[in-house]
Amino acid sequence: DNMFLVLATAVVAVSGLFGTIRVAATPLYTIDGSRTQSGRARGTTGLAERTALDESTSLLPRQREIEAALANDGFTVVRWVTNGSSTTTAVEGDSVGCLAHHHNATNYRTGAPKSMFVVEGSAYQLGWLSGRLGVKDAEVLATTYLDRLVPQLLDYGWAHQVQNTTDGAALFKLIGQFLIDEANRSWREQYTKGVWPEALVEEMRGFVDGCILEDPSTVVSMERIITVNYAFDWISANVFSGVIETKLRAYARTHRAPADLSDTVWDFLNRDKIIQVPLFCDAFGAYGTATQGDGDVFLGRAFQLATGDVFQDLASVMVAIPRDDRLTSARVFAPGIIGAITAIGPHVGLGVDTIRSSFSDPEAPGFNSALLVRWVAETARSTADAVTIMANARRGCPWLYPLCDNQGKCVMIEGGPYTTNTTLDPLPYVTDEKLKALLPTRDFLQAHSSDAIFRNGLYIRDSSFSAAEYYRFNPSLFAHANVSYNASNVDSADAFVFATFTEEDALEKQLENAWFVPVRTSMADDFVVLSNIALVPEARIAMMSPASNFFGRTTESASWRYDHINRDLRKGPVDFARALDIITFLTPEHFPTYWAHRFDPTDPMSAQVEGAVSLLWMNGKTGRQEMHTKTGYWHDSFTRVQLPGYYPDAS
């Protein structure tokens, strides 16, 4: 099968993005990860790797520091991997990496202990160590997950109907290869333009090499790792701009003879909006008077995605300690993901949420989402610094970013592609003339613009942002969708537009994205809230294109989720326990019918988390930088990372 690359010899060839790389069974590396003759230019000193299952009598001081930090977080090291100049003993200065298991927290379905990875070294070595430690999970992510993801991206009714048929197999294989090929083609075109920081790309190279050294028969390849880390950006930019089906049909005609696919498959391919992105997420940032502790800052994150029925068992946490000018970070990930679902550095914490918007660049999706989140956590010294880094990134996708620093500055970023324009005209995205007639005119948009918070394609929203002038358009927009409108549900600070999530699930199929969601916060509030919707009017109108509006029918009650978190934060200042309750408000204990994927049909709490729920607890006065994360199943316990314990100068 050309979707898989099997490496089975002592010396193998890996064909991928960077040409053919020959990898020896025992490759040599320079300390900074520069190229040797077997894929990296050979240095003057050859380096060998060692794996230690029990080095209790010969651990380096740095390893002992890391073990102590892990023990303080409830983990025990089960494997060390080092990389240094000696082939027999570890010496100070070697890059080090370990896999640790939690003392108590386990995966509900598998019973396996929750894992955590810690790696320290150059960019290349961070990847190499991670590959050695995580090859088996990465192999599942790069094969089973990608293969199972395809049916979850398609029209559910049709995919379910054909999933065990010849037609289904042919379609899934076609779309899977299409996504891999096109994502890699897009990556190659942009890589030459310096879109991504080279350190992240070098880490990918190291990861692949580490996997190959650990298991010469692995199917992990650069092509698959690029797909894992970039495909969602490419898919999002192309789906929400409404062009992906055209590209898919062209790919099918180019790569398959018409007779290779049945009439049933071609009928499906000729439909519109067959590929979807089933994601739904929430976030909040609380600081100042919204928290009980002096200087406490909480960033709550709930990120859900299609799991392929495997991601929930692979999701983990990694602490990365780069030996360059970047900072130590902790992130939620799965082996093979170089980016981060959620990340925390010494100064900032942030995450990424999906938004269904046509404000995108499908030809250059660029540097966004998980890779950008990781980079910002490791390079930003404040929220203002993080915003500058993100604004300067060559982005091309619509994403939302919840962001806080440990000084109490929290913002929600409603993002699109990088632009040097100082304003956004969203009306060209709206092609339904009847709908456009009900929207603000261009003159109104200019008179009530959000340009003051617009920066290179990003809207930077804090608690003081208001869009009340736009709610006057809602009565006509609701009437256009044949939905009754209650102004009091919009104007009140703690109201709900929809009383229940089931009510919104039903009505969003009529309303789609064609209405203005109320901003509940004001200058007096020390918190901000985010769901899968733009609150900035210009960004919201960009969600009203035909493609984005269609996917507005499947936002999984985004307005209700936003209103629920807003109401909970208005009940008074929060401490850690209350902040944790707020970000887990969707627990199946409270809303059992919200979750569909249960391991035990009779037990609501056996439902998959479908991504990760994290609470970041920061305090610039005390130095606290913690990340608490739940992955797997709702029965599973949270695990904790206290980041300062892993800093290189922790001793």
Side-chain angles (χ1 to χ4, degrees), residues 29 40 123-132 201-211 222:
Y29 307 98
R40 324 267 150 218
Y124 178 82
Q125 290 168 334
L126 294 178
W128 188 88
L129 295 163
S130 303
R132 293 296 313 275
V201 182
E202 189 68 4
E203 187 170 334
M204 291 183 186
R205 296 182 182 119
F207 184 84
V208 173
D209 283 357
C211 287
M222 194 66 178

Side-chain angles (χ1 to χ4, degrees), residues 118-416:
V118 182
V119 292
E120 180 173 357
S122 68
Y124 178 82
Q125 290 168 334
L126 294 178
W128 188 88
L129 295 163
S130 303
R132 293 296 313 275
L133 294 166
V135 60
K136 294 304 180 184
D137 284 352
E139 197 162 86
V140 175
L141 190 73
T143 55
T144 306
Y145 177 69
L146 289 182
D147 293 342
R148 291 183 180 179
L149 178 65
V150 172
Q152 291 189 291
L153 294 178
L154 302 182
D155 174 83
Y156 175 78
W158 197 90
H160 183 73
Q161 178 183 342
V162 302
Q163 63 181 356
N164 295 317
T165 67
T166 302
D167 284 339
L171 180 68
F172 300 158
K173 181 176 180 179
L174 170 70
I175 295 178
Q177 194 61 52
F178 163 71
L179 296 178
I180 292 173
D181 288 350
E182 291 302 297
N184 276 267
R185 178 195 57 77
S186 174
W187 175 282
R188 288 192 299 270
E189 291 177 353
Q190 296 171 89
Y191 174 74
T192 60
K193 300 175 183 178
V195 168
W196 295 275
E198 188 61 24
L200 296 180
V201 182
E202 189 68 4
E203 187 170 334
M204 291 183 186
R205 296 182 182 119
F207 184 84
V208 173
D209 283 357
C211 287
I212 292 170
L213 185 59
E214 182 73 13
D215 179 6
S217 66
T218 184
V219 301
V220 175
S221 66
M222 194 66 178
E223 180 184 58
R224 287 243 163 192
I225 294 304
I226 288 171
T227 305
V228 165
N229 285 277
Y230 176 64
F232 265 119
D233 286 337
W234 186 86
I235 292 169
S236 295
N238 282 271
V239 166
F240 299 139
S241 60
V243 300
I244 195 166
E245 283 81 15
T246 300
K247 292 184 177 182
L248 174 58
R249 287 190 284 269
Y251 179 92
R253 294 187 187 99
T254 302
H255 292 77
R256 294 288 185 91
D260 289 346
L261 299 173
S262 71
D263 290 343
T264 300
V265 172
W266 279 110
D267 286 344
F268 182 77
L269 291 175
N270 286 322
R271 300 182 188 183
D272 290 327
K273 304 176 183 66
I274 60 175
I275 296 180
Q276 306 174 15
V277 183
L279 303 174
F280 49 102
C281 325
D282 305 301
F284 72 85
Y287 53 94
T289 60
T291 65
Q292 292 184 18
D294 182 20
D296 277 350
V297 180
F298 294 109
L299 178 63
R301 289 275 298 112
F303 181 86
Q304 279 77 45
L305 78 168
T307 67
D309 199 31
V310 293
F311 185 87
Q312 76 282 355
D313 297 332
L314 303 177
S316 184
V317 172
M318 172 174 280
V319 172
I321 309 163
R323 290 181 180 170
D324 50 35
D325 57 357
R326 288 178 291 158
L327 305 168
T328 301
S329 71
R331 72 185 195 270
V332 182
F333 86 127
I337 296 176
I338 305 303
I341 291 174
T342 304
I344 186 171
H347 306 286
V348 305
L350 71 161
V352 59
D353 290 355
T354 184
I355 181 174
R356 293 152 172 84
S357 172
S358 290
F359 183 35
S360 62
D361 183 354
E363 300 310 311
F367 179 30
N368 321 263
S369 65
L371 288 172
L372 184 56
V373 166
R374 161 87 184 277
W375 186 253
V376 169
E378 294 180 346
T379 57
R381 267 68 177 178
S382 65
T383 290
D385 194 19
V387 168
T388 296
I389 294 167
M390 297 172 76
N392 290 332
R394 291 314 189 256
R395 309 171 319 277
C397 284
W399 288 99
L400 304 169
Y401 300 93
L403 167 66
C404 291
D405 65 19
N406 59 10
Q407 301 302 312
K409 178 60 177 178
C410 293
V411 297
M412 298 299 173
I413 299 176
E414 301 180 5

Side-chain angles (χ1 to χ4, degrees), residues 283-545:
F284 72 85
Y287 53 94
T289 60
T291 65
Q292 292 184 18
D294 182 20
D296 277 350
V297 180
F298 294 109
L299 178 63
R301 289 275 298 112
F303 181 86
Q304 279 77 45
L305 78 168
T307 67
D309 199 31
V310 293
F311 185 87
Q312 76 282 355
D313 297 332
L314 303 177
S316 184
V317 172
M318 172 174 280
V319 172
I321 309 163
R323 290 181 180 170
D324 50 35
D325 57 357
R326 288 178 291 158
L327 305 168
T328 301
S329 71
R331 72 185 195 270
V332 182
F333 86 127
I337 296 176
I338 305 303
I341 291 174
T342 304
I344 186 171
H347 306 286
V348 305
L350 71 161
V352 59
D353 290 355
T354 184
I355 181 174
R356 293 152 172 84
S357 172
S358 290
F359 183 35
S360 62
D361 183 354
E363 300 310 311
F367 179 30
N368 321 263
S369 65
L371 288 172
L372 184 56
V373 166
R374 161 87 184 277
W375 186 253
V376 169
E378 294 180 346
T379 57
R381 267 68 177 178
S382 65
T383 290
D385 194 19
V387 168
T388 296
I389 294 167
M390 297 172 76
N392 290 332
R394 291 314 189 256
R395 309 171 319 277
C397 284
W399 288 99
L400 304 169
Y401 300 93
L403 167 66
C404 291
D405 65 19
N406 59 10
Q407 301 302 312
K409 178 60 177 178
C410 293
V411 297
M412 298 299 173
I413 299 176
E414 301 180 5
Y418 174 88
T419 178
T420 57
N421 294 336
T422 58
T423 189
L424 171 66
D425 179 6
L427 292 176
Y429 293 110
V430 184
T431 58
D432 182 333
E433 294 301 325
K434 290 183 178 179
L435 173 60
K436 186 179 289 187
L438 302 175
L439 294 175
T441 64
R442 188 166 281 106
D443 287 344
F444 186 95
L445 287 168
Q446 291 174 351
H448 303 85
S449 80
S450 308
D451 293 350
I453 63 168
F454 189 65
R455 188 169 175 187
N456 291 5
L458 302 176
Y459 285 104
I460 318 300
R461 173 171 61 83
D462 63 16
S463 65
S464 67
F465 178 76
S466 173
E469 303 91 346
Y470 286 82
Y471 305 157
R472 70 184 72 174
F473 298 95
N474 276 338
S476 296
L477 291 168
F478 272 62
H480 177 66
N482 198 29
V483 175
S484 61
Y485 181 75
N486 185 337
S488 64
N489 291 344
V490 172
D491 298 335
S492 175
D494 60 354
F496 282 70
V497 175
F498 305 99
T500 65
F501 75 83
T502 54
E503 179 187 8
E504 183 172 358
D505 283 348
L507 294 178
E508 69 186 9
K509 294 175 176 59
Q510 298 167 242
L511 283 165
E512 300 176 325
N513 292 324
W515 62 289
F516 293 100
V517 181
V519 182
R520 302 295 189 186
T521 56
S522 68
M523 185 76 76
D525 297 316
D526 283 351
F527 63 85
V528 283
V529 183
L530 183 71
S531 188
N532 302 109
I533 42 181
L535 302 188
V536 176
E538 292 93 331
R540 181 62 172 172
I541 294 173
M543 297 178 67
M544 300 181 191
S545 71

